[in-house]
Amino acid sequence: MKTLSIIVPCYNEQESIPLFYPAVEKIIEQLNAKIEYWFVNDGSSDHTLDELEELHEEHSDEVHFISFSRNFGKEAALYAGLQASTGDYVVVMDVDLQDPPSMLPTMLDYLESGEYDCVGTRRVDRKGEKRFKSFLSNEFYHVINRISKTEIIPGARDYRMMTRQMVNAVLSVSEYDRFSKGIFSWVGFKTKYLDYHNVERAAGETDWSIWKLARYALDGIMSFSDAPLSLAIWTGLVFSILSFLGLLVIVVRHFVSPAASAFGWSSLACIILLMGGLQLLFIGIVGKYIGKIYMQTKNRPIYIVQEKK
Ligand code: UDP
Ligand code: MG
C-alpha cells in the first residue's frame, strides 16, 4: 500500500486544528493508502503547539509535528514539511479547512492513474473576499504572467498533491526567498488542475493584510522575473531620445528665429525633479534585487526546528 503524507502549516491555529483532524480523517477512511501527517507549527504564540502535542499523543504512529523556534512564514513551513515527509505521495493543505478535504480521493485517483505527477487546485471565485483584494490579486496574476517565463496559474492554491519525484524536485530548489506558487510551476511535471468554489475559514483569522499580500506579490515577481530591471533601460532610452529631439528643436530655433525667448525655469525644475525621481526609483529596484542576493549569499537556513516528534 502506498503512503500519503499530509503537510499542514499552522500559525496560531488552536481553534482550527481540532476541526481539521476529524474532517480529514473522515475522508481518509475511503482512501486506499497509509497516512502520515506532518503538522508544522510556525512559531505560533497561542496553544497551537499544545494541540499538536495532544494529537501526537493520541495518534503517535500517524501524527507528527515540527515546531519552529519562531515564525518563519508559510513558505518555510511548507519546505520543512516536504523535507520531513516520507510518503510516495505528498499533499500540502491549510489547516483552516479552506482546502476542502473532500477533494483528496479525486486527487489521489489522478496520481495513481500515473497520467499526472501533480494535482493542483484552483479557486474559480473569491466569494467572501473583499472586492479590492480580489481586484489586486487578479492584477498580480496578469502582471507576473506577462513578465515571467514561469506560468503562475490564476487562483491556484498551495493545496496540491504531488508524487515523490516532484517533491524531490521541489526540495532541490533550495533558494532562501521561496515563492512556492512559482517553484511548483518552475519544476515542471504534468499537473492537473481541479476547480472549486471558495470556502471561508473554519475558525480563526487570516494573517494576510493587504500590505502583506502586496509584499508577497512583489517578492513573487522578483523571484521569477528580472523584467523590473529592464524598466530602467527602456525608460532611459525613451528619455534620451526625447532630450535629443529637444536639443534639435533648440538648435533649429536658434537659426530660424534667434530672438525667441528661452523656456521658463519652472519647466526645467520639473524635468530635473522627474529625472531625479526616476533615477531614485530605479536605484531602488536594483537595490531590492541586491538585497535578495545579499540574503541568499548569507546562506542562512530557511527555518530552525525547536522540536520534532
Ligand atoms: N501560515 C503559516 N505561517 C504564517 C502564516 C500562515 O504557517 O506565517 C499557515 C496558516 O496557519 C494556514 C495557512 O498557512 O494553515 C494559510 O494561511 P491563511 O489561512 O492565513 O491564508 P489564506 O488562506 O488567507 O491564503
Ligand atoms: Mg486560509
Side-chain angles (χ1 to χ4, degrees):
M1 196 155 52
K2 296 273 173 84
T3 306
L4 171 68
S5 305
I6 303 182
I7 294 172
V8 196
C10 308
Y11 177 55
N12 293 343
E13 301 279 11
Q14 58 182 17
E15 287 123 29
S16 307
I17 293 167
L19 300 174
F20 174 83
Y21 185 76
V24 175
E25 276 298 293
K26 218 171 83 193
I27 303 293
I28 282 204
E29 284 166 5
Q30 316 162 16
L31 297 181
N32 179 29
K34 196 174 160 296
I35 305 296
E36 152 192 274
Y37 288 89
W38 277 103
F39 288 91
V40 183
N41 171 33
D42 184 12
S44 305
S45 52
D46 65 355
H47 295 291
T48 297
L49 185 56
D50 301 334
E51 290 287 342
L52 293 180
E53 293 266 12
E54 201 177 300
L55 214 55
H56 173 71
E57 305 269 285
E58 282 169 36
H59 318 271
S60 57
D61 47 341
E62 210 180 75
V63 176
H64 305 277
F65 68 85
I66 302 170
S67 185
F68 287 175
S69 58
R70 66 167 169 88
N71 179 249
F72 280 89
K74 183 182 174 184
E75 306 286 334
L78 287 183
Y79 192 66
L82 289 178
Q83 274 189 325
S85 71
T86 61
D88 306 292
Y89 303 117
V90 178
V91 63
V92 171
M93 59 198 301
D94 289 359
V95 70
D96 55 14
L97 291 175
Q98 277 192 299
D99 298 337
S102 56
M103 294 171 88
L104 287 171
T106 324
M107 293 167 101
L108 192 63
D109 282 347
Y110 273 111
L111 290 192
E112 296 238 272
S113 75
E115 206 183 324
Y116 294 97
D117 306 289
C118 174
V119 184
T121 56
R122 190 163 51 184
R123 280 193 299 188
V124 286
D125 61 23
R126 291 171 166 271
K127 189 168 57 82
E129 196 181 72
K130 290 209 181 70
R131 285 267 282 283
F132 185 57
K133 212 166 157 182
S134 306
F135 167 77
L136 288 183
S137 302
N138 289 336
E139 279 309 301
F140 162 70
Y141 287 114
H142 191 71
V143 169
I144 195 165
N145 279 319
R146 279 196 69 152
I147 65 178
S148 165
K149 287 194 199 87
T150 305
E151 193 190 6
I152 313 282
I153 308 286
R157 301 271 304 169
D158 287 338
Y159 184 26
R160 58 177 67 225
M161 196 184 283
M162 296 166 273
T163 58
R164 174 52 43 189
Q165 191 188 18
M166 175 152 169
V167 171
N168 289 341
V170 170
L171 286 173
S172 73
V173 182
S174 56
E175 59 199 45
Y176 184 79
D177 252 311
R178 304 189 67 75
F179 183 68
S180 291
K181 282 189 203 326
I183 294 173
F184 288 139
S185 159
W186 185 88
V187 295
F189 295 103
K190 223 171 150 201
T191 303
K192 164 84 187 165
Y193 278 96
L194 304 177
D195 292 344
Y196 75 102
H197 290 284
N198 193 29
V199 184
E200 289 187 46
R201 251 179 177 280
E205 292 240 333
T206 176
D207 184 42
W208 290 92
S209 63
I210 288 256
W211 284 116
K212 240 179 134 177
L213 278 175
R215 272 227 305 274
Y216 176 71
L218 280 182
D219 271 342
I221 288 175
M222 280 196 286
S223 290
F224 280 90
S225 164
D226 57 5
L229 288 173
S230 338
L231 264 180
I233 301 176
W234 292 111
T235 318
L237 201 68
V238 168
F239 276 95
S240 303
I241 293 171
L242 282 180
S243 68
F244 181 72
L245 292 179
L247 214 67
L248 274 184
V249 169
I250 291 170
V251 170
V252 169
R253 197 183 53 181
H254 178 76
F255 288 110
V256 176
S257 62
S261 65
F263 289 116
W265 67 270
S266 48
S267 53
L268 204 61
C270 285
I271 292 169
I272 292 172
L273 279 179
L274 174 72
M275 291 315 298
L278 282 176
Q279 278 167 359
L280 286 179
L281 176 72
F282 291 129
I283 291 174
I285 292 178
V286 176
K288 284 297 267 182
Y289 279 89
I290 293 179
K292 294 214 175 266
I293 300 171
Y294 174 59
M295 289 314 287
Q296 182 68 43
T297 51
K298 284 187 190 210
N299 237 331
R300 286 188 182 160
I302 294 169
Y303 59 88
I304 305 276
V305 176
Q306 183 162 27
E307 205 182 335
K308 186 171 173 182
K309 275 187 183 169

